[in-house]
Amino acid sequence: MKVGIFYGSETGNSEMLCEDIETELGDGFECDIQSLADVDPAEMQKDTFYIIVTSTYGNGDLPSTALPFEEALTEGKPDLKGIRFAIFGLGDMVFAETFAHGSMKLAEMMKAQGATQVGERGIHDASGFDMPEDIALPWVQEIMGLMQADKAA
């Protein structure tokens, strides 16, 4: 299965987590890690499953590397019907009012263009005791289980 693993980041944490996710998936998947800055949503393929990891920046916004993707979604309004994705957000509950809003906003924008979200949005709280991978790796296994169940049905 082809898996596009995309990240939006200010500090590099999302990119590092994508590398951990690729390792967790193992050799049975054809993975491609890219910054959201380098992805045109109109070119996303229906035969690829997408895992998106993004932080939240400022007042609940997407990080700078995700802004070109956001702009392409909102201005270009690409048809994403048939595109399946899962999303994982990095945030900090110290900023409770906007905690992990970047990933929430991006998921809503993609669904508004017809994409289908698989599973629940994963979230990591930087002010907690767990490392991002402690939350993300079990989450990605659950998501891939949902994908396998869907494929078998």
Side-chain angles (χ1 to χ4, degrees):
M1 173 189 296
K2 291 182 185 178
V3 180
I5 307 174
F6 299 161
Y7 62 89
S9 188
E10 287 292 331
T11 63
N13 289 336
S14 294
E15 181 179 6
M16 287 187 293
L17 188 54
C18 287
E19 292 167 1
D20 292 339
I21 288 171
E22 178 183 33
T23 300
E24 179 72 10
L25 290 176
D27 294 334
F29 297 92
E30 184 182 329
C31 296
D32 178 32
I33 298 176
Q34 292 187 58
S35 169
L36 284 167
D38 301 324
V39 176
D40 179 352
E43 294 180 9
M44 294 173 79
Q45 302 293 311
K46 293 176 184 171
D47 66 343
T48 301
F49 178 63
Y50 296 94
I51 298 172
I52 301 170
V53 178
T54 187
S55 60
T56 297
Y57 186 72
N59 292 317
D61 299 315
L62 287 165
S64 60
T65 59
L67 295 179
F69 188 84
E70 176 187 27
E71 183 177 316
L73 280 173
T74 56
E75 292 181 11
K77 298 197 183 312
D79 180 4
L80 298 183
K81 288 181 187 78
I83 299 297
R84 295 169 301 157
F85 74 97
I87 193 159
F88 191 89
L90 300 174
D92 191 330
M93 272 303 283
V94 169
F95 307 101
E97 288 183 23
T98 59
F99 173 63
H101 277 203
S103 59
M104 180 183 68
K105 287 178 180 178
L106 187 55
E108 292 304 317
M109 285 186 272
M110 290 187 65
K111 290 188 286 188
Q113 299 309 313
T116 300
Q117 183 175 335
V118 175
E120 297 293 322
R121 177 172 59 112
I123 301 173
H124 175 259
D125 176 10
S127 62
F129 294 107
D130 293 314
M131 296 298 291
E133 60 272 17
D134 295 338
I135 305 298
L137 300 184
W139 170 83
V140 82
Q141 287 298 338
E142 181 180 324
I143 293 297
M144 298 315 284
L146 292 171
M147 288 297 297
Q148 294 298 346
D150 185 50
K151 191 176 181 179

